[in-house]
Amino acid sequence: MSDSMSQPQPAVQPPTRPADATDLADASSTGRIPISVLELAPVGEGQTSAEALNAAATLAQRAEELGYRRFWVAEHHNMPGVASTSPGVYIGHLAARTRSIRVGSGGVMLPNHPPLVVAEQFAMLEALSPGRIDLGIGRAPGTDPATAAALRRTKEGLGAEDFPQELADLLDLLGIGEGGGRLALRRMSATPVATSAPDVWLLGSSGYSAQVAGMLGLPFAFAHHFSAANTLPAMELYRSTFRPSARLAEPYAMVTQSAYVADTAEEAEAIARPARLAQVSLYTGRPRRTPTPEEAAAHEWTDAELRIIEQGPSRPTIGDPKSVLAELSDLVAATGANELMVTTMTHGLPERLRSFELLAQAWTGGGVKGGSRAG
């Protein structure tokens, strides 16, 4: 697929799916839950951030062709191996290069931004691409402590106790809240004023975010890919605390997982190895760009590095299409998720494209049942 800029469709025309799209995004027609993509725009050794961002846009176009439901980009700061820093900016570019796939943030880290700024950014995105924008909100800084301090809006920083109020302010500014925002903001609204609002999700890796999402009646996305031990308790807490809202009548939960798919298990291990080496570097305080497959293959793992991989908070799903489908199906069954989101961090774009293509083929031939739809 070309990296050239494609022309967006006029807003007055309804979005259409490509003729060869699968039914990945449509749970109603297949009985399988929708599947989506979480992208960090990984920067590999020998690559520039611009190349990484262009590669991610190409992946978004291919994901749309394959029928993935959403394409979300994350917010991370001061990380040499991640080009995804400003979802509010990048989503507009992705929406212009696609036609029908939902694009959004996975997520915007609310403590880093005033609610009015986030509301105006996403009101504009929704006005430009109505019915296609997701606003995923997180409460972590998305970076190291020093960088988080530089991003903070107050000297002391915002704590967990500030998050519900900040979120209420944001929802009110978007015109979809329940009046819980601060009095000083109630006479304001996000501009441009859109005829629709983005779908707001709450992201989390703990029970705290699950409970907030449930109490506010928001869809919830759980980061199983880096907090597997908390997945089942958080999903249960979300459903048990859920209160219907004007935006969502029933709980709607998505679970995210890292996955690497190739024609053989050996090839899948090979394309996953660079990301695992980069992960070890990050966990030991030496963040870096994603190593090349050659460097990763030649790396001699120490016992300490192997322990980091084995004892980490979660493990990626790696293998051929059949084994990956089985493992992801088990995850969906265990969590009761309504939607699955997959992230794949490879050095090169071809391996990432191939992984998502194989996963799409496996998913449409599988039999994973799901729940109701949000968005």
Side-chain angles (χ1 to χ4, degrees):
M1 179 167 298
S2 169
D3 279 341
S4 61
M5 177 73 74
S6 61
Q7 294 297 318
Q9 297 298 302
V12 295
Q13 295 184 7
T16 57
R17 295 177 65 201
D20 65 343
T22 67
D23 287 325
L24 283 171
D26 190 355
S28 63
S29 66
T30 65
R32 304 179 188 97
I33 69 170
I35 186 169
S36 298
V37 178
L38 174 62
E39 173 70 359
L40 276 66
V43 185
E45 289 292 346
Q47 300 169 359
T48 66
S49 293
E51 290 171 333
L53 292 169
N54 282 329
T58 299
L59 179 60
Q61 292 173 317
R62 185 61 179 141
E64 179 176 72
E65 292 174 348
L66 292 167
Y68 285 89
R69 180 162 175 75
R70 309 175 199 275
F71 192 92
W72 283 5
V73 289
E75 176 184 343
H76 289 280
H77 300 278
N78 196 31
M79 295 180 66
V82 176
S84 178
T85 58
S86 304
V89 175
Y90 195 39
I91 289 167
H93 177 70
L94 295 173
R97 292 187 61 166
T98 54
R99 300 177 61 188
S100 59
I101 192 171
R102 295 191 67 93
V103 288
S105 58
V108 167
M109 301 295 105
L110 191 56
N112 298 341
H113 313 281
L116 181 58
V117 171
V118 178
E120 290 196 328
Q121 286 179 352
F122 279 79
M124 179 170 287
L125 291 168
E126 178 68 19
L128 292 170
S129 301
R132 293 183 56 205
I133 303 300
D134 293 330
L135 170 53
I137 292 292
R139 68 182 182 93
T143 188
D144 60 90
T147 307
L151 287 165
R152 294 300 188 188
R153 293 177 278 126
T154 67
K155 183 178 179 180
E156 298 79 14
L158 298 176
E161 67 277 4
D162 300 295
F163 182 76
Q165 183 64 68
E166 296 271 304
L167 183 59
D169 291 341
L170 173 61
L171 295 175
D172 280 0
L173 287 165
L174 287 170
I176 57 175
E178 299 180 352
R182 282 169 280 201
L183 182 63
L185 296 177
R186 290 183 189 174
R187 300 177 66 180
M188 303 179 188
S189 62
T191 55
V193 178
T195 56
S196 58
D199 277 359
V200 178
W201 290 68
L202 199 57
L203 281 53
S205 57
S206 68
Y208 177 91
S209 296
Q211 189 171 17
V212 173
M215 294 177 65
L216 293 178
L218 294 173
F220 177 58
F222 188 84
H224 177 82
H225 65 294
F226 64 77
S227 185
N230 293 326
T231 304
L232 296 182
M235 297 289 263
E236 174 59 31
L237 185 59
Y238 168 62
R239 295 186 179 102
S240 66
T241 57
F242 183 84
R243 298 189 304 193
S245 67
R247 300 285 291 176
L248 194 62
E250 299 176 352
Y252 190 94
M254 178 161 63
V255 63
T256 64
Q257 170 64 335
S258 298
Y260 299 84
V261 194
D263 291 294
T264 68
E266 293 75 18
E267 292 174 34
E269 288 286 350
I271 67 169
R273 196 169 293 121
R276 304 186 90 172
L277 183 55
Q279 180 185 34
V280 168
S281 296
L282 178 64
Y283 284 178
T284 54
R286 299 172 291 113
R288 57 167 299 179
R289 297 181 180 184
T290 305
T292 65
E294 294 76 16
E295 179 186 350
H299 182 75
E300 295 185 5
W301 297 86
T302 66
D303 290 342
E305 290 173 336
L306 291 174
R307 281 195 297 272
I308 291 174
I309 293 295
E310 293 298 320
Q311 299 174 9
S314 62
R315 294 185 181 182
T317 299
I318 303 172
D320 58 60
K322 183 177 180 180
S323 65
V324 168
L325 177 63
E327 188 170 332
L328 292 180
S329 298
D330 288 345
L331 175 63
V332 169
T335 60
N338 304 93
E339 191 168 335
L340 175 68
M341 180 168 275
V342 172
T343 184
T344 303
M345 297 279 286
T346 61
H347 177 270
L349 177 61
E351 307 98 294
R352 205 145 78 252
L353 287 171
R354 181 62 174 161
S355 182
F356 279 107
E357 288 167 354
L358 290 172
L359 178 57
Q361 293 169 10
W363 203 256
T364 55
V368 180
K369 301 294 182 180
S372 59
R373 172 183 294 193

